[in-house]
């Protein structure tokens, strides 16, 4: 069924999908990997993180963790 779309303003894009009108399916694909030390992922208004000796040793033996190619 056709869609009538009025004025559209997109101010900022930080990733995602914008779809206008008809579509059978939408399947955006992305992946990422992050390594951080202890206490680095804490979020909140007031955080106290008392860490002793800290070391982030990352050994990534996988060459491909999550492939996007072929996952349609």
């Amino acid at each position: 069924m056709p869609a009538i779309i009025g004025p559209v303003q997109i101010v900022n894009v930080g990733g995602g999908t914008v779809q206008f009108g008809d579509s059978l399916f939408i399947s955006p694909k992305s992946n990422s990997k992050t390594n951080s030390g202890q206490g680095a992922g804490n979020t909140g208004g007031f955080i106290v993180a008392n860490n002793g000796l800290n070391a982030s040793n990352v050994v990534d033996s996988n060459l491909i963790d999550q492939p996007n190619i072929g996952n349609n």
Side-chain angles (χ1 to χ4, degrees):
M1 180 175 280
I4 299 172
I5 299 176
V8 175
Q9 179 183 14
I10 299 175
V11 178
N12 188 5
V13 176
T17 302
V18 177
Q19 183 256 331
F20 300 103
D22 301 334
S23 68
L24 180 62
F25 61 88
I26 298 175
S27 181
K29 298 190 173 39
S30 66
N31 55 22
S32 64
K33 178 186 267 189
T34 303
N35 297 314
S36 60
Q38 62 187 30
N42 295 334
T43 59
F46 180 72
I47 297 173
V48 176
N50 297 320
N51 298 327
L53 186 61
N54 183 359
S56 296
N57 297 323
V58 178
V59 177
D60 187 11
S61 61
N62 299 337
L63 296 177
I64 300 173
D65 291 326
Q66 182 178 351
N68 279 345
I69 300 171
N71 286 335
N72 292 328

